[in-house]
Amino acid sequence: MNELLAVRSLTTLPVVTLGGDAVAHVKDTVFDASAARITGFTLTGRTLLSGPLPQDLPWPAVHCLGHHAVMVPGREALLDVPVSVARRDALRGRLLGARVVTDAGDVVGTVLDVLVEGGTSGRVVAFRLGAHRELVHGSRHRGHRVYVPRGETLSACGRTLVIPAHATAHVTDEPSGFPARAGARHGHGRGVRP
């Protein structure tokens, strides 16, 4: 069963081999906006003060993503990557802090977090937004925090995320409904722990 995970909670997770060795920690989560899934992780050393590693962890090498660790088959899952490439990929895939615009041209908020399926999926399910008042009718707060489902399409360019306008009709204060909707589409249930 794949549970939903908040991407902010992935930062500093240990990367652990199936043999039990902690080989790194997650620094940043890299996304493929067009495929709406995690493509990999940039890493820091075995201790959190070690600094960035010249290696990254591509998603296909992940055995399982859990609440407490990213599991890999072995140390060989970490790939040597020039630091400039890792930084470029992290910036290209960065969604946190992005401005959110609907495909109808309305700015609806800013991405505070991203909910992804754990396990072997890595699929983006929803976004936690600091919503503008226009998105949350009756709210007096500009930064009201809500969840919006990813929808069928997604594009990101620079620091802007474009979502389908119809996705805003499914805004909720709690992410508990997203696993049920995802499970209905994919034939299995999900738990939520953002």
Side-chain angles (χ1 to χ4, degrees):
M1 175 163 83
N2 295 339
E3 294 190 38
L4 294 185
L5 303 168
V7 166
R8 285 191 186 274
S9 71
L10 303 182
T11 302
T12 73
L13 276 184
V15 177
V16 180
T17 68
L18 293 177
D21 295 326
V23 294
H25 282 87
V26 172
K27 182 175 185 293
D28 287 310
T29 303
V30 182
F31 295 93
D32 177 345
S34 61
R37 65 181 51 254
I38 296 173
T39 58
F41 301 99
T42 61
L43 305 171
T44 61
R46 289 174 54 186
T47 67
L48 295 176
L49 301 175
S50 300
L53 286 181
Q55 297 173 308
D56 71 356
L57 176 60
W59 182 258
V62 171
H63 174 75
C64 186
L65 172 61
H67 286 284
H68 304 290
V70 178
M71 301 301 296
V72 295
R75 185 179 296 274
E76 66 281 355
L78 308 183
L79 297 180
D80 290 333
V81 174
V83 174
S84 60
V85 172
R87 285 187 184 138
R88 183 199 69 219
D89 287 348
L91 289 173
R92 187 178 64 214
R94 183 164 289 165
L95 289 174
L96 300 181
R99 181 174 68 145
V100 181
V101 179
T102 68
D103 56 5
D106 298 319
V107 176
V108 293
T110 303
V111 177
L112 300 176
D113 211 338
V114 180
L115 295 182
V116 296
E117 286 183 326
T120 58
S121 171
R123 184 176 68 92
V124 173
V125 174
F127 303 100
R128 184 173 187 219
L129 305 184
H132 289 188
R133 277 178 251 160
E134 296 79 17
L135 180 61
V136 184
H137 301 292
S139 174
R140 295 182 185 158
H141 307 292
R142 178 173 171 80
H144 188 82
R145 288 160 169 65
V146 297
Y147 292 89
V148 176
R150 178 184 62 84
E152 298 82 34
T153 61
L154 167 71
S155 67
C157 181
R159 302 290 289 145
T160 302
L161 172 72
V162 180
I163 63 172
H166 65 82
T168 62
H170 303 286
V171 171
T172 180
D173 289 334
E174 294 293 325
S176 57
F178 294 122
R181 282 182 242 165
R185 279 197 303 262
H186 298 289
H188 42 66
R190 311 255 191 269
V192 178
R193 290 171 84 189

